[in-house]
Amino acid sequence: MATPCTHLDHIQSVTPSSTGCEECQQTGDSWVHLRICRTCGHVGCCDSSKNKHATKHFHATNHPVIQSFEPGEDWLWCYVDQIFLQPTNQ
């Protein structure tokens, strides 16, 4: 049986901080896929991107849950519990 996520209370209804990776846009860099922080709305690039800004945001803020910000993808990830989650209507 999978261990449940213990950070569901951190998931908020958020407004995206950007339409692309916030940091990559500032430096003129590129990304592969986007993730949105479900605590504050920060949009960062995924770990397949060279800069890994979504994970860097987690390490800087301890905001535990991200969601894919890609069209057609509907999943969340908890960095702390290392578990994929299905979104609920929020």
Side-chain angles (χ1 to χ4, degrees), residues 2-41:
T3 304
C5 177
T6 58
H7 300 90
L8 298 178
D9 59 331
H10 291 263
I11 297 173
Q12 304 294 319
S13 177
V14 295
T15 300
S17 63
S18 179
T19 58
C21 176
E22 198 170 333
E23 291 85 358
C24 286
Q25 286 182 325
Q26 291 172 358
T27 63
D29 218 337
S30 61
W31 58 83
V32 178
H33 295 286
L34 298 171
R35 309 294 180 238
I36 185 169
C37 174
R38 286 305 305 266
T39 300
C40 71

PDB file of all heavy atoms in Angstrom, residues 2-41:
ATOM      1  N   ALA A   2       0.563   2.193  -0.843  1.00  0.00           N
ATOM      2  CA  ALA A   2       1.358   3.414  -0.954  1.00  0.00           C
ATOM      3  C   ALA A   2       1.149   4.311   0.257  1.00  0.00           C
ATOM      4  O   ALA A   2       0.061   4.395   0.817  1.00  0.00           O
ATOM      5  CB  ALA A   2       0.977   4.166  -2.221  1.00  0.00           C
ATOM      6  N   THR A   3       2.209   4.987   0.654  1.00  0.00           N
ATOM      7  CA  THR A   3       2.127   5.947   1.744  1.00  0.00           C
ATOM      8  C   THR A   3       1.398   7.189   1.240  1.00  0.00           C
ATOM      9  O   THR A   3       1.739   7.717   0.186  1.00  0.00           O
ATOM     10  CB  THR A   3       3.540   6.338   2.213  1.00  0.00           C
ATOM     11  OG1 THR A   3       4.247   5.153   2.568  1.00  0.00           O
ATOM     12  CG2 THR A   3       3.485   7.278   3.393  1.00  0.00           C
ATOM     13  N   PRO A   4       0.398   7.663   1.974  1.00  0.00           N
ATOM     14  CA  PRO A   4      -0.333   8.843   1.508  1.00  0.00           C
ATOM     15  C   PRO A   4       0.505  10.122   1.661  1.00  0.00           C
ATOM     16  O   PRO A   4       1.407  10.193   2.479  1.00  0.00           O
ATOM     17  CB  PRO A   4      -1.557   8.884   2.421  1.00  0.00           C
ATOM     18  CG  PRO A   4      -1.126   8.175   3.666  1.00  0.00           C
ATOM     19  CD  PRO A   4      -0.129   7.138   3.223  1.00  0.00           C
ATOM     20  N   CYS A   5       0.163  11.111   0.870  1.00  0.00           N
ATOM     21  CA  CYS A   5       0.812  12.412   0.973  1.00  0.00           C
ATOM     22  C   CYS A   5       0.332  13.104   2.244  1.00  0.00           C
ATOM     23  O   CYS A   5      -0.865  13.133   2.525  1.00  0.00           O
ATOM     24  CB  CYS A   5       0.475  13.266  -0.242  1.00  0.00           C
ATOM     25  SG  CYS A   5       1.161  14.935  -0.155  1.00  0.00           S
ATOM     26  N   THR A   6       1.269  13.650   2.984  1.00  0.00           N
ATOM     27  CA  THR A   6       0.938  14.344   4.230  1.00  0.00           C
ATOM     28  C   THR A   6       0.944  15.864   4.060  1.00  0.00           C
ATOM     29  O   THR A   6       0.919  16.599   5.042  1.00  0.00           O
ATOM     30  CB  THR A   6       1.947  13.952   5.327  1.00  0.00           C
ATOM     31  OG1 THR A   6       3.260  14.291   4.886  1.00  0.00           O
ATOM     32  CG2 THR A   6       1.884  12.467   5.631  1.00  0.00           C
ATOM     33  N   HIS A   7       0.949  16.333   2.812  1.00  0.00           N
ATOM     34  CA  HIS A   7       1.057  17.765   2.551  1.00  0.00           C
ATOM     35  C   HIS A   7      -0.113  18.315   1.744  1.00  0.00           C
ATOM     36  O   HIS A   7      -0.013  19.388   1.147  1.00  0.00           O
ATOM     37  CB  HIS A   7       2.379  18.055   1.832  1.00  0.00           C
ATOM     38  CG  HIS A   7       3.547  17.645   2.650  1.00  0.00           C
ATOM     39  ND1 HIS A   7       4.086  16.388   2.570  1.00  0.00           N
ATOM     40  CD2 HIS A   7       4.224  18.299   3.611  1.00  0.00           C
ATOM     41  CE1 HIS A   7       5.075  16.290   3.440  1.00  0.00           C
ATOM     42  NE2 HIS A   7       5.182  17.438   4.083  1.00  0.00           N
ATOM     43  N   LEU A   8      -1.235  17.623   1.764  1.00  0.00           N
ATOM     44  CA  LEU A   8      -2.402  18.065   1.008  1.00  0.00           C
ATOM     45  C   LEU A   8      -2.891  19.432   1.478  1.00  0.00           C
ATOM     46  O   LEU A   8      -3.456  20.197   0.695  1.00  0.00           O
ATOM     47  CB  LEU A   8      -3.524  17.035   1.104  1.00  0.00           C
ATOM     48  CG  LEU A   8      -3.198  15.649   0.526  1.00  0.00           C
ATOM     49  CD1 LEU A   8      -4.382  14.707   0.731  1.00  0.00           C
ATOM     50  CD2 LEU A   8      -2.803  15.738  -0.935  1.00  0.00           C
ATOM     51  N   ASP A   9      -2.643  19.756   2.747  1.00  0.00           N
ATOM     52  CA  ASP A   9      -3.081  21.051   3.274  1.00  0.00           C
ATOM     53  C   ASP A   9      -2.280  22.224   2.705  1.00  0.00           C
ATOM     54  O   ASP A   9      -2.650  23.375   2.886  1.00  0.00           O
ATOM     55  CB  ASP A   9      -3.023  21.059   4.799  1.00  0.00           C
ATOM     56  CG  ASP A   9      -1.641  20.787   5.350  1.00  0.00           C
ATOM     57  OD1 ASP A   9      -0.856  20.084   4.684  1.00  0.00           O
ATOM     58  OD2 ASP A   9      -1.346  21.254   6.461  1.00  0.00           O
ATOM     59  N   HIS A  10      -1.209  21.953   1.977  1.00  0.00           N
ATOM     60  CA  HIS A  10      -0.415  23.000   1.329  1.00  0.00           C
ATOM     61  C   HIS A  10      -0.945  23.358  -0.050  1.00  0.00           C
ATOM     62  O   HIS A  10      -0.507  24.342  -0.641  1.00  0.00           O
ATOM     63  CB  HIS A  10       1.045  22.560   1.198  1.00  0.00           C
ATOM     64  CG  HIS A  10       1.761  22.470   2.509  1.00  0.00           C
ATOM     65  ND1 HIS A  10       2.543  23.482   2.982  1.00  0.00           N
ATOM     66  CD2 HIS A  10       1.792  21.490   3.445  1.00  0.00           C
ATOM     67  CE1 HIS A  10       3.046  23.133   4.160  1.00  0.00           C
ATOM     68  NE2 HIS A  10       2.591  21.921   4.456  1.00  0.00           N
ATOM     69  N   ILE A  11      -1.854  22.546  -0.592  1.00  0.00           N
ATOM     70  CA  ILE A  11      -2.377  22.781  -1.932  1.00  0.00           C
ATOM     71  C   ILE A  11      -3.401  23.912  -1.886  1.00  0.00           C
ATOM     72  O   ILE A  11      -4.385  23.842  -1.165  1.00  0.00           O
ATOM     73  CB  ILE A  11      -3.005  21.494  -2.506  1.00  0.00           C
ATOM     74  CG1 ILE A  11      -1.931  20.408  -2.638  1.00  0.00           C
ATOM     75  CG2 ILE A  11      -3.665  21.783  -3.852  1.00  0.00           C
ATOM     76  CD1 ILE A  11      -2.471  19.055  -3.044  1.00  0.00           C
ATOM     77  N   GLN A  12      -3.102  24.948  -2.646  1.00  0.00           N
ATOM     78  CA  GLN A  12      -3.954  26.135  -2.709  1.00  0.00           C
ATOM     79  C   GLN A  12      -4.433  26.347  -4.145  1.00  0.00           C
ATOM     80  O   GLN A  12      -3.832  25.847  -5.091  1.00  0.00           O
ATOM     81  CB  GLN A  12      -3.153  27.378  -2.271  1.00  0.00           C
ATOM     82  CG  GLN A  12      -2.538  27.285  -0.907  1.00  0.00           C
ATOM     83  CD  GLN A  12      -3.581  27.229   0.195  1.00  0.00           C
ATOM     84  OE1 GLN A  12      -4.586  27.932   0.141  1.00  0.00           O
ATOM     85  NE2 GLN A  12      -3.365  26.362   1.177  1.00  0.00           N
ATOM     86  N   SER A  13      -5.489  27.110  -4.290  1.00  0.00           N
ATOM     87  CA  SER A  13      -5.899  27.588  -5.601  1.00  0.00           C
ATOM     88  C   SER A  13      -4.986  28.775  -5.902  1.00  0.00           C
ATOM     89  O   SER A  13      -5.004  29.769  -5.183  1.00  0.00           O
ATOM     90  CB  SER A  13      -7.361  28.018  -5.568  1.00  0.00           C
ATOM     91  OG  SER A  13      -7.732  28.529  -6.813  1.00  0.00           O
ATOM     92  N   VAL A  14      -4.131  28.642  -6.918  1.00  0.00           N
ATOM     93  CA  VAL A  14      -3.096  29.650  -7.163  1.00  0.00           C
ATOM     94  C   VAL A  14      -3.234  30.266  -8.548  1.00  0.00           C
ATOM     95  O   VAL A  14      -3.830  29.689  -9.454  1.00  0.00           O
ATOM     96  CB  VAL A  14      -1.679  29.048  -7.010  1.00  0.00           C
ATOM     97  CG1 VAL A  14      -1.421  28.601  -5.585  1.00  0.00           C
ATOM     98  CG2 VAL A  14      -1.454  27.894  -7.980  1.00  0.00           C
ATOM     99  N   THR A  15      -2.654  31.433  -8.701  1.00  0.00           N
ATOM    100  CA  THR A  15      -2.550  32.114  -9.989  1.00  0.00           C
ATOM    101  C   THR A  15      -1.115  31.936 -10.481  1.00  0.00           C
ATOM    102  O   THR A  15      -0.174  32.218  -9.732  1.00  0.00           O
ATOM    103  CB  THR A  15      -2.859  33.620  -9.831  1.00  0.00           C
ATOM    104  OG1 THR A  15      -4.180  33.756  -9.317  1.00  0.00           O
ATOM    105  CG2 THR A  15      -2.730  34.341 -11.154  1.00  0.00           C
ATOM    106  N   PRO A  16      -0.917  31.443 -11.706  1.00  0.00           N
ATOM    107  CA  PRO A  16       0.447  31.260 -12.216  1.00  0.00           C
ATOM    108  C   PRO A  16       1.232  32.567 -12.219  1.00  0.00           C
ATOM    109  O   PRO A  16       0.716  33.620 -12.589  1.00  0.00           O
ATOM    110  CB  PRO A  16       0.232  30.760 -13.652  1.00  0.00           C
ATOM    111  CG  PRO A  16      -1.165  30.228 -13.674  1.00  0.00           C
ATOM    112  CD  PRO A  16      -1.936  31.037 -12.677  1.00  0.00           C
ATOM    113  N   SER A  17       2.483  32.495 -11.802  1.00  0.00           N
ATOM    114  CA  SER A  17       3.359  33.666 -11.747  1.00  0.00           C
ATOM    115  C   SER A  17       3.821  34.101 -13.128  1.00  0.00           C
ATOM    116  O   SER A  17       4.309  35.214 -13.301  1.00  0.00           O
ATOM    117  CB  SER A  17       4.578  33.363 -10.875  1.00  0.00           C
ATOM    118  OG  SER A  17       5.343  32.309 -11.460  1.00  0.00           O
ATOM    119  N   SER A  18       3.685  33.219 -14.115  1.00  0.00           N
ATOM    120  CA  SER A  18       4.201  33.482 -15.454  1.00  0.00           C
ATOM    121  C   SER A  18       3.573  32.491 -16.429  1.00  0.00           C
ATOM    122  O   SER A  18       2.984  31.499 -16.013  1.00  0.00           O
ATOM    123  CB  SER A  18       5.723  33.310 -15.429  1.00  0.00           C
ATOM    124  OG  SER A  18       6.290  33.531 -16.687  1.00  0.00           O
ATOM    125  N   THR A  19       3.747  32.738 -17.724  1.00  0.00           N
ATOM    126  CA  THR A  19       3.282  31.785 -18.730  1.00  0.00           C
ATOM    127  C   THR A  19       4.379  30.789 -19.104  1.00  0.00           C
ATOM    128  O   THR A  19       4.141  29.851 -19.852  1.00  0.00           O
ATOM    129  CB  THR A  19       2.813  32.516 -20.001  1.00  0.00           C
ATOM    130  OG1 THR A  19       3.898  33.304 -20.496  1.00  0.00           O
ATOM    131  CG2 THR A  19       1.605  33.392 -19.709  1.00  0.00           C
ATOM    132  N   GLY A  20       5.588  31.015 -18.602  1.00  0.00           N
ATOM    133  CA  GLY A  20       6.729  30.136 -18.838  1.00  0.00           C
ATOM    134  C   GLY A  20       7.557  30.092 -17.572  1.00  0.00           C
ATOM    135  O   GLY A  20       7.176  30.673 -16.552  1.00  0.00           O
ATOM    136  N   CYS A  21       8.687  29.411 -17.622  1.00  0.00           N
ATOM    137  CA  CYS A  21       9.563  29.357 -16.446  1.00  0.00           C
ATOM    138  C   CYS A  21      10.008  30.781 -16.114  1.00  0.00           C
ATOM    139  O   CYS A  21      10.638  31.466 -16.923  1.00  0.00           O
ATOM    140  CB  CYS A  21      10.772  28.479 -16.707  1.00  0.00           C
ATOM    141  SG  CYS A  21      11.944  28.467 -15.320  1.00  0.00           S
ATOM    142  N   GLU A  22       9.667  31.203 -14.926  1.00  0.00           N
ATOM    143  CA  GLU A  22       9.930  32.579 -14.496  1.00  0.00           C
ATOM    144  C   GLU A  22      11.408  32.942 -14.604  1.00  0.00           C
ATOM    145  O   GLU A  22      11.784  33.974 -15.172  1.00  0.00           O
ATOM    146  CB  GLU A  22       9.434  32.729 -13.059  1.00  0.00           C
ATOM    147  CG  GLU A  22       9.225  34.127 -12.606  1.00  0.00           C
ATOM    148  CD  GLU A  22       8.506  34.196 -11.264  1.00  0.00           C
ATOM    149  OE1 GLU A  22       7.751  33.278 -10.915  1.00  0.00           O
ATOM    150  OE2 GLU A  22       8.739  35.195 -10.570  1.00  0.00           O
ATOM    151  N   GLU A  23      12.280  32.094 -14.078  1.00  0.00           N
ATOM    152  CA  GLU A  23      13.720  32.382 -14.075  1.00  0.00           C
ATOM    153  C   GLU A  23      14.322  32.272 -15.474  1.00  0.00           C
ATOM    154  O   GLU A  23      15.164  33.089 -15.866  1.00  0.00           O
ATOM    155  CB  GLU A  23      14.469  31.450 -13.108  1.00  0.00           C
ATOM    156  CG  GLU A  23      14.178  31.705 -11.653  1.00  0.00           C
ATOM    157  CD  GLU A  23      12.915  30.995 -11.146  1.00  0.00           C
ATOM    158  OE1 GLU A  23      12.219  30.317 -11.938  1.00  0.00           O
ATOM    159  OE2 GLU A  23      12.613  31.119  -9.957  1.00  0.00           O
ATOM    160  N   CYS A  24      13.910  31.253 -16.245  1.00  0.00           N
ATOM    161  CA  CYS A  24      14.444  31.103 -17.602  1.00  0.00           C
ATOM    162  C   CYS A  24      14.044  32.287 -18.483  1.00  0.00           C
ATOM    163  O   CYS A  24      14.840  32.741 -19.310  1.00  0.00           O
ATOM    164  CB  CYS A  24      13.958  29.797 -18.233  1.00  0.00           C
ATOM    165  SG  CYS A  24      14.750  28.306 -17.575  1.00  0.00           S
ATOM    166  N   GLN A  25      12.841  32.792 -18.295  1.00  0.00           N
ATOM    167  CA  GLN A  25      12.428  33.961 -19.068  1.00  0.00           C
ATOM    168  C   GLN A  25      13.287  35.173 -18.729  1.00  0.00           C
ATOM    169  O   GLN A  25      13.613  35.972 -19.605  1.00  0.00           O
ATOM    170  CB  GLN A  25      10.949  34.268 -18.820  1.00  0.00           C
ATOM    171  CG  GLN A  25      10.024  33.293 -19.515  1.00  0.00           C
ATOM    172  CD  GLN A  25       8.561  33.617 -19.301  1.00  0.00           C
ATOM    173  OE1 GLN A  25       8.157  34.089 -18.245  1.00  0.00           O
ATOM    174  NE2 GLN A  25       7.755  33.343 -20.306  1.00  0.00           N
ATOM    175  N   GLN A  26      13.670  35.311 -17.467  1.00  0.00           N
ATOM    176  CA  GLN A  26      14.500  36.441 -17.051  1.00  0.00           C
ATOM    177  C   GLN A  26      15.895  36.381 -17.651  1.00  0.00           C
ATOM    178  O   GLN A  26      16.507  37.417 -17.922  1.00  0.00           O
ATOM    179  CB  GLN A  26      14.582  36.505 -15.528  1.00  0.00           C
ATOM    180  CG  GLN A  26      13.270  36.881 -14.873  1.00  0.00           C
ATOM    181  CD  GLN A  26      13.314  36.745 -13.356  1.00  0.00           C
ATOM    182  OE1 GLN A  26      14.311  36.339 -12.766  1.00  0.00           O
ATOM    183  NE2 GLN A  26      12.197  37.072 -12.715  1.00  0.00           N
ATOM    184  N   THR A  27      16.412  35.162 -17.849  1.00  0.00           N
ATOM    185  CA  THR A  27      17.777  35.015 -18.367  1.00  0.00           C
ATOM    186  C   THR A  27      17.824  34.708 -19.860  1.00  0.00           C
ATOM    187  O   THR A  27      18.910  34.608 -20.427  1.00  0.00           O
ATOM    188  CB  THR A  27      18.526  33.895 -17.605  1.00  0.00           C
ATOM    189  OG1 THR A  27      17.848  32.649 -17.834  1.00  0.00           O
ATOM    190  CG2 THR A  27      18.616  34.189 -16.128  1.00  0.00           C
ATOM    191  N   GLY A  28      16.649  34.524 -20.482  1.00  0.00           N
ATOM    192  CA  GLY A  28      16.615  34.204 -21.905  1.00  0.00           C
ATOM    193  C   GLY A  28      16.922  32.751 -22.198  1.00  0.00           C
ATOM    194  O   GLY A  28      17.287  32.406 -23.327  1.00  0.00           O
ATOM    195  N   ASP A  29      16.788  31.885 -21.215  1.00  0.00           N
ATOM    196  CA  ASP A  29      17.079  30.460 -21.383  1.00  0.00           C
ATOM    197  C   ASP A  29      15.829  29.703 -21.814  1.00  0.00           C
ATOM    198  O   ASP A  29      14.730  30.260 -21.862  1.00  0.00           O
ATOM    199  CB  ASP A  29      17.626  29.889 -20.069  1.00  0.00           C
ATOM    200  CG  ASP A  29      18.733  28.863 -20.290  1.00  0.00           C
ATOM    201  OD1 ASP A  29      18.786  28.278 -21.394  1.00  0.00           O
ATOM    202  OD2 ASP A  29      19.534  28.646 -19.367  1.00  0.00           O
ATOM    203  N   SER A  30      15.974  28.440 -22.101  1.00  0.00           N
ATOM    204  CA  SER A  30      14.852  27.609 -22.541  1.00  0.00           C
ATOM    205  C   SER A  30      14.573  26.514 -21.517  1.00  0.00           C
ATOM    206  O   SER A  30      15.365  26.285 -20.608  1.00  0.00           O
ATOM    207  CB  SER A  30      15.171  26.979 -23.898  1.00  0.00           C
ATOM    208  OG  SER A  30      16.311  26.150 -23.786  1.00  0.00           O
ATOM    209  N   TRP A  31      13.440  25.853 -21.675  1.00  0.00           N
ATOM    210  CA  TRP A  31      13.039  24.777 -20.765  1.00  0.00           C
ATOM    211  C   TRP A  31      12.385  23.668 -21.564  1.00  0.00           C
ATOM    212  O   TRP A  31      12.078  23.827 -22.738  1.00  0.00           O
ATOM    213  CB  TRP A  31      12.081  25.303 -19.695  1.00  0.00           C
ATOM    214  CG  TRP A  31      10.834  25.920 -20.247  1.00  0.00           C
ATOM    215  CD1 TRP A  31       9.690  25.288 -20.639  1.00  0.00           C
ATOM    216  CD2 TRP A  31      10.622  27.298 -20.508  1.00  0.00           C
ATOM    217  NE1 TRP A  31       8.778  26.181 -21.129  1.00  0.00           N
ATOM    218  CE2 TRP A  31       9.319  27.429 -21.059  1.00  0.00           C
ATOM    219  CE3 TRP A  31      11.384  28.453 -20.343  1.00  0.00           C
ATOM    220  CZ2 TRP A  31       8.783  28.657 -21.422  1.00  0.00           C
ATOM    221  CZ3 TRP A  31      10.845  29.672 -20.717  1.00  0.00           C
ATOM    222  CH2 TRP A  31       9.569  29.763 -21.237  1.00  0.00           C
ATOM    223  N   VAL A  32      12.154  22.516 -20.893  1.00  0.00           N
ATOM    224  CA  VAL A  32      11.520  21.364 -21.524  1.00  0.00           C
ATOM    225  C   VAL A  32      10.034  21.319 -21.167  1.00  0.00           C
ATOM    226  O   VAL A  32       9.176  21.339 -22.037  1.00  0.00           O
ATOM    227  CB  VAL A  32      12.228  20.044 -21.114  1.00  0.00           C
ATOM    228  CG1 VAL A  32      11.534  18.839 -21.729  1.00  0.00           C
ATOM    229  CG2 VAL A  32      13.700  20.078 -21.514  1.00  0.00           C
ATOM    230  N   HIS A  33       9.718  21.240 -19.876  1.00  0.00           N
ATOM    231  CA  HIS A  33       8.337  21.201 -19.398  1.00  0.00           C
ATOM    232  C   HIS A  33       8.210  22.135 -18.197  1.00  0.00           C
ATOM    233  O   HIS A  33       9.201  22.433 -17.527  1.00  0.00           O
ATOM    234  CB  HIS A  33       7.929  19.789 -18.967  1.00  0.00           C
ATOM    235  CG  HIS A  33       7.906  18.810 -20.086  1.00  0.00           C
ATOM    236  ND1 HIS A  33       6.923  18.789 -21.041  1.00  0.00           N
ATOM    237  CD2 HIS A  33       8.763  17.812 -20.401  1.00  0.00           C
ATOM    238  CE1 HIS A  33       7.163  17.822 -21.901  1.00  0.00           C
ATOM    239  NE2 HIS A  33       8.286  17.211 -21.539  1.00  0.00           N
ATOM    240  N   LEU A  34       6.981  22.531 -17.911  1.00  0.00           N
ATOM    241  CA  LEU A  34       6.726  23.475 -16.820  1.00  0.00           C
ATOM    242  C   LEU A  34       5.960  22.832 -15.669  1.00  0.00           C
ATOM    243  O   LEU A  34       5.150  21.928 -15.876  1.00  0.00           O
ATOM    244  CB  LEU A  34       5.924  24.675 -17.337  1.00  0.00           C
ATOM    245  CG  LEU A  34       6.619  25.504 -18.406  1.00  0.00           C
ATOM    246  CD1 LEU A  34       5.642  26.523 -18.990  1.00  0.00           C
ATOM    247  CD2 LEU A  34       7.848  26.192 -17.840  1.00  0.00           C
ATOM    248  N   ARG A  35       6.230  23.327 -14.464  1.00  0.00           N
ATOM    249  CA  ARG A  35       5.541  22.907 -13.240  1.00  0.00           C
ATOM    250  C   ARG A  35       5.102  24.158 -12.497  1.00  0.00           C
ATOM    251  O   ARG A  35       5.795  25.178 -12.509  1.00  0.00           O
ATOM    252  CB  ARG A  35       6.471  22.085 -12.346  1.00  0.00           C
ATOM    253  CG  ARG A  35       7.179  20.931 -13.049  1.00  0.00           C
ATOM    254  CD  ARG A  35       6.215  19.871 -13.509  1.00  0.00           C
ATOM    255  NE  ARG A  35       6.903  18.772 -14.177  1.00  0.00           N
ATOM    256  CZ  ARG A  35       6.648  18.381 -15.415  1.00  0.00           C
ATOM    257  NH1 ARG A  35       5.730  19.003 -16.139  1.00  0.00           N
ATOM    258  NH2 ARG A  35       7.300  17.385 -15.954  1.00  0.00           N
ATOM    259  N   ILE A  36       3.951  24.062 -11.809  1.00  0.00           N
ATOM    260  CA  ILE A  36       3.463  25.184 -11.012  1.00  0.00           C
ATOM    261  C   ILE A  36       3.414  24.773  -9.549  1.00  0.00           C
ATOM    262  O   ILE A  36       2.958  23.672  -9.216  1.00  0.00           O
ATOM    263  CB  ILE A  36       2.086  25.686 -11.512  1.00  0.00           C
ATOM    264  CG1 ILE A  36       1.661  26.936 -10.748  1.00  0.00           C
ATOM    265  CG2 ILE A  36       1.041  24.583 -11.454  1.00  0.00           C
ATOM    266  CD1 ILE A  36       0.451  27.646 -11.340  1.00  0.00           C
ATOM    267  N   CYS A  37       3.922  25.627  -8.688  1.00  0.00           N
ATOM    268  CA  CYS A  37       3.885  25.401  -7.248  1.00  0.00           C
ATOM    269  C   CYS A  37       2.449  25.585  -6.784  1.00  0.00           C
ATOM    270  O   CYS A  37       1.835  26.625  -7.045  1.00  0.00           O
ATOM    271  CB  CYS A  37       4.811  26.386  -6.538  1.00  0.00           C
ATOM    272  SG  CYS A  37       4.696  26.307  -4.736  1.00  0.00           S
ATOM    273  N   ARG A  38       1.911  24.604  -6.073  1.00  0.00           N
ATOM    274  CA  ARG A  38       0.526  24.696  -5.630  1.00  0.00           C
ATOM    275  C   ARG A  38       0.387  25.390  -4.281  1.00  0.00           C
ATOM    276  O   ARG A  38      -0.704  25.474  -3.733  1.00  0.00           O
ATOM    277  CB  ARG A  38      -0.101  23.299  -5.587  1.00  0.00           C
ATOM    278  CG  ARG A  38      -0.410  22.737  -6.969  1.00  0.00           C
ATOM    279  CD  ARG A  38      -1.296  23.650  -7.825  1.00  0.00           C
ATOM    280  NE  ARG A  38      -2.531  23.992  -7.159  1.00  0.00           N
ATOM    281  CZ  ARG A  38      -3.668  23.349  -7.310  1.00  0.00           C
ATOM    282  NH1 ARG A  38      -3.725  22.321  -8.136  1.00  0.00           N
ATOM    283  NH2 ARG A  38      -4.741  23.726  -6.653  1.00  0.00           N
ATOM    284  N   THR A  39       1.491  25.952  -3.767  1.00  0.00           N
ATOM    285  CA  THR A  39       1.418  26.788  -2.576  1.00  0.00           C
ATOM    286  C   THR A  39       1.366  28.264  -2.961  1.00  0.00           C
ATOM    287  O   THR A  39       0.579  29.019  -2.416  1.00  0.00           O
ATOM    288  CB  THR A  39       2.619  26.538  -1.644  1.00  0.00           C
ATOM    289  OG1 THR A  39       2.611  25.163  -1.244  1.00  0.00           O
ATOM    290  CG2 THR A  39       2.567  27.419  -0.407  1.00  0.00           C
ATOM    291  N   CYS A  40       2.206  28.672  -3.954  1.00  0.00           N
ATOM    292  CA  CYS A  40       2.310  30.103  -4.263  1.00  0.00           C
ATOM    293  C   CYS A  40       2.096  30.466  -5.726  1.00  0.00           C
ATOM    294  O   CYS A  40       2.002  31.639  -6.053  1.00  0.00           O
ATOM    295  CB  CYS A  40       3.659  30.636  -3.795  1.00  0.00           C
ATOM    296  SG  CYS A  40       5.062  30.055  -4.789  1.00  0.00           S
ATOM    297  N   GLY A  41       2.067  29.491  -6.638  1.00  0.00           N
ATOM    298  CA  GLY A  41       1.853  29.783  -8.051  1.00  0.00           C
ATOM    299  C   GLY A  41       3.113  29.986  -8.874  1.00  0.00           C
ATOM    300  O   GLY A  41       3.030  30.266 -10.072  1.00  0.00           O
TER     301      GLY A  41
END
